[in-house]
Amino acid sequence: MAFDSWLGRVKTALSNGKNPKSKRVAVLSFEVAGVMSRLLHLYQSLSDAAVVRLRNDAVSLEGALKLVSNDESFLLRLARAELAESVRVAAGSVSRLSCMCHDPFLRSFHRVFTEFANSGYDPHAWTLTNPKEIEAKHKKLERYVSLTSTLHREMEELSVLESALRKALNHSSNNNNGEPEPCSVNSKDHQKLCDLQQKIFWQKQEVKELKEKSLWNKGFDGVVLLLVRFVFTVLARIKVVFGIGHCVPYLSRSLSASATVFPSDQNPNSENYAIHVSRPFKSLKIDGNGDLGCGSFFESNCKLLKPMNGTLGASALAFHYANLIIVMEKMIKSPQLVGVEARDDLYAMLPSSIRSSLRSRLKGVGFSACDPVLAGEWREALGRILGWISPLAHNMIRWQSERSFEQMNLMVPKTNSNVLLLQTLFFADKEKTEAAITELLVGLNYIWRFEREMTAKAFFEGCNNSFNGLLNVNHSETQLRT
């Protein structure tokens, strides 16, 4: 009887193992956690506070208005396009995972998501609309990402311990003609072996517990469904924020109900609530009713992200010019510390177009730079230029660093702000940027020479005073002797 019961349990286990619905995330949990982390980061960049920063800070950034465009509607389109592209990339990862699902509806994710992006049609009601449900799913994703990230670290630690044990066993085996001594032998080497084995035991227990709590042992279809619903919700949020058509009214109500920067004393069940909470987003509404016109949603936005001819992005110079501006910024702040070698290195960084314009600007400029009034005027002028161009340069470096970090790490770090390409030099007009850089170089050239001349003058006066003092001493001694 006991044997029959045991055999029944074995058959059940085997049958469950063949059931596609019992498929676990397993080793794919790290890839899934990465997608979750990126979706969380993207959703955070669409929060009410982030939208207010976009409208009040990013779009009105002086450098963007000078070098990219003074048309705020165009800048908003760039912001929308970059956010939409991030969703498209995340959806591509979800699509690859959905192809491995048992559920036929999940396997059709790519088609349904594309239809939702273009028309707003959501046949499976995958978009989360209840604020409490959104918050619950958000916390669930965060917990999964945190636990899976911890699992990744602990598994790496286990791998290190097991590698150390193998090396220790090989060392012990070589010292004992291929026969490692038992752990009970009272020796330092064998004590280390015992300690390692004990650490591995507890580490395996830790990994086992984390696998149970993290994505590793969760049902594959259920996890993918969670991703599907959240990526639908993020896209819906983008449409609400930018006033794009095809969004049903209750999305505005539910997605903005937890706003902290807008009045929160409205009744969520009242008819006017959706109008009230969406009013702060009206300034982000672009292109009339927000529709994209011809072409699919993602194709239209992708075209916007392609830099136009005459921009630094099209010339692949944005990152280089960002570094160049940052180097000049440091020199302008402390010109007295800039040596001849550093000055030559800066010149070597200049492309031929800027070298040519710099030579033209410096023609006829006298060698002497001893006017303190002119030096002060140049410092003020350079400060004004750096005030609007420096943020774009630093944002370019930061944008690049954030993307590199995302590619190399499982989790995307939580930040209070998200740098967009419109806040960088990527879309900056090449001719205008080079004119500003040339102006910085001309001014830097003057104050650098001014500082050197003032230093040399002070040194010469000091030496002259010392020499005169010495002559006076010698003259006094001569008079005393006579």
Side-chain angles (χ1 to χ4, degrees):
M1 193 72 176
F3 176 77
D4 291 338
S5 177
W6 174 82
L7 186 60
R9 289 198 300 271
V10 171
K11 288 181 178 179
T12 301
L14 289 174
S15 63
N16 287 339
K18 295 178 181 178
N19 186 354
K21 291 185 179 181
S22 67
K23 180 180 178 181
R24 302 295 165 185
V25 180
V27 72
L28 289 174
S29 59
F30 305 123
E31 179 183 348
V32 172
V35 178
M36 285 184 174
S37 181
R38 283 158 181 76
L39 282 174
L40 288 168
H41 181 69
L42 184 56
Y43 189 76
Q44 179 188 350
S45 68
L46 290 163
S47 67
D48 291 306
V51 171
V52 171
R53 285 195 299 270
L54 171 62
R55 184 187 60 196
N56 296 339
D57 299 332
V59 173
S60 59
L61 192 65
E62 186 179 2
L65 294 173
K66 285 181 179 292
L67 298 181
V68 180
S69 174
N70 58 6
D71 181 358
E72 291 191 0
S73 180
F74 175 71
L75 296 177
L76 285 171
R77 287 198 296 273
L78 291 180
R80 180 195 67 195
E82 185 173 358
L83 292 168
E85 177 64 11
S86 297
V87 174
R88 187 194 66 80
V89 172
S93 299
V94 176
S95 181
R96 288 190 294 274
L97 293 167
S98 69
C99 292
M100 295 181 275
C101 289
H102 172 73
D103 188 335
F105 290 129
L106 292 176
R107 290 203 302 271
S108 67
F109 163 77
H110 179 75
R111 175 182 57 79
V112 178
F113 184 72
T114 302
E115 185 177 5
F116 176 68
N118 295 336
S119 68
Y121 181 54
D122 184 4
H124 307 305
W126 278 336
T127 306
L128 299 170
T129 59
N130 187 302
K132 291 184 178 179
E133 187 179 11
I134 294 174
E135 183 65 21
K137 299 295 185 187
H138 189 280
K139 289 182 178 179
K140 193 172 187 179
L141 288 173
E142 286 185 325
R143 186 172 68 254
Y144 279 154
V145 170
S146 178
L147 288 169
T148 305
S149 179
T150 304
L151 172 64
H152 187 266
R153 290 196 303 270
E154 297 302 325
M155 289 181 72
E156 285 187 334
E157 179 63 23
L158 177 60
S159 178
V160 170
L161 290 172
E162 289 176 336
S163 177
L165 178 62
R166 285 193 296 271
K167 289 180 180 178
L169 287 172
N170 288 335
H171 178 74
S172 176
S173 178
N174 292 334
N175 290 340
N176 295 280
N177 299 320
E179 294 292 334
E181 296 180 21
C183 238
S184 58
V185 176
N186 187 16
S187 69
K188 186 180 293 185
D189 288 343
H190 287 294
Q191 185 60 43
K192 287 183 179 179
L193 282 175
C194 292
D195 292 342
L196 272 174
Q197 289 170 342
Q198 188 67 20
K199 286 181 181 179
I200 288 173
F201 173 80
W202 291 114
Q203 190 68 18
K204 284 182 176 180
Q205 295 300 311
E206 180 70 17
V207 168
K208 183 179 179 181
E209 290 179 9
L210 284 169
K211 283 184 176 181
E212 289 295 328
K213 296 177 182 178
S214 68
L215 289 167
W216 188 280
N217 278 345
K218 298 297 180 286
F220 189 81
D221 279 25
V223 168
V224 172
L225 178 60
L226 187 59
L227 286 172
V228 165
R229 301 203 69 186
F230 210 76
V231 76
F232 262 73
T233 305
V234 171
L235 179 55
R237 175 66 178 178
I238 289 178
K239 291 191 172 190
V240 169
V241 166
F242 291 97
I244 299 173
H246 313 310
C247 266
V248 289
Y250 60 74
L251 283 176
S252 293
R253 179 171 69 250
S254 62
L255 288 171
S256 302
S258 60
T260 56
V261 293
F262 309 132
S264 57
D265 55 350
Q266 302 295 316
N267 177 12
N269 296 319
S270 68
E271 292 181 0
N272 294 328
Y273 184 73
I275 299 173
H276 174 78
V277 297
S278 63
R279 185 169 295 134
F281 294 128
K282 283 189 176 179
S283 61
L284 296 189
K285 204 167 185 178
I286 49 182
D287 291 338
N289 65 354
D291 291 335
L292 294 167
C294 299
S296 72
F297 176 82
F298 291 115
E299 286 177 357
S300 300
N301 282 293
C302 186
K303 289 178 182 178
L304 277 172
L305 280 182
K306 184 178 180 181
M308 294 181 291
N309 292 333
T311 62
L312 295 183
S315 306
L317 287 170
F319 192 71
H320 179 70
Y321 277 20
N323 282 311
L324 177 61
I325 291 168
I326 291 172
V327 169
M328 286 192 294
E329 181 182 30
K330 294 177 180 178
M331 290 183 170
I332 290 169
K333 288 181 178 179
S334 304
Q336 71 279 4
L337 301 179
V338 179
V340 176
E341 185 177 348
R343 189 167 176 262
D344 292 342
D345 290 341
L346 174 63
Y347 188 79
M349 294 178 67
L350 304 179
S352 58
S353 55
I354 293 183
R355 290 187 185 186
S356 177
S357 61
L358 180 61
R359 283 194 294 268
S360 298
R361 285 294 311 276
L362 293 177
K363 280 182 180 179
V365 175
F367 180 78
S368 177
C370 56
D371 187 346
V373 176
L374 183 57
E377 291 175 353
W378 266 119
R379 285 193 180 93
E380 291 180 7
L382 295 179
R384 287 194 298 270
I385 297 172
L386 285 174
W388 56 262
I389 201 172
S390 176
L392 298 185
H394 285 280
N395 284 341
M396 187 75 257
I397 303 298
R398 182 178 165 192
W399 186 92
Q400 186 69 31
S401 299
E402 287 178 355
R403 299 310 175 276
S404 300
F405 187 91
E406 288 179 14
Q407 293 174 0
M408 294 186 294
N409 293 271
L410 177 63
M411 291 182 64
V412 178
K414 294 182 180 180
T415 56
N416 294 326
S417 60
N418 182 45
V419 176
L420 296 173
L421 278 174
L422 70 92
Q423 299 169 272
T424 72
L425 292 170
F426 187 75
F427 294 111
D429 182 89
K430 182 174 180 287
E431 185 176 341
K432 292 180 180 178
T433 306
E434 290 185 347
I437 291 175
T438 301
E439 198 70 11
L440 290 174
L441 289 167
V442 173
L444 175 60
N445 174 67
Y446 188 87
I447 62 172
W448 179 79
R449 289 191 293 118
F450 175 80
E451 290 292 337
R452 285 178 64 87
E453 288 191 21
M454 292 301 101
T455 301
K457 182 179 179 181
F459 178 77
F460 176 78
E461 289 178 350
C463 291
N464 191 40
N465 290 336
S466 298
F467 182 70
N468 289 335
L470 183 60
L471 287 178
N472 291 333
V473 170
N474 291 336
H475 180 68
S476 299
E477 290 178 351
T478 303
Q479 287 181 335
L480 287 172
R481 284 197 295 269
T482 58

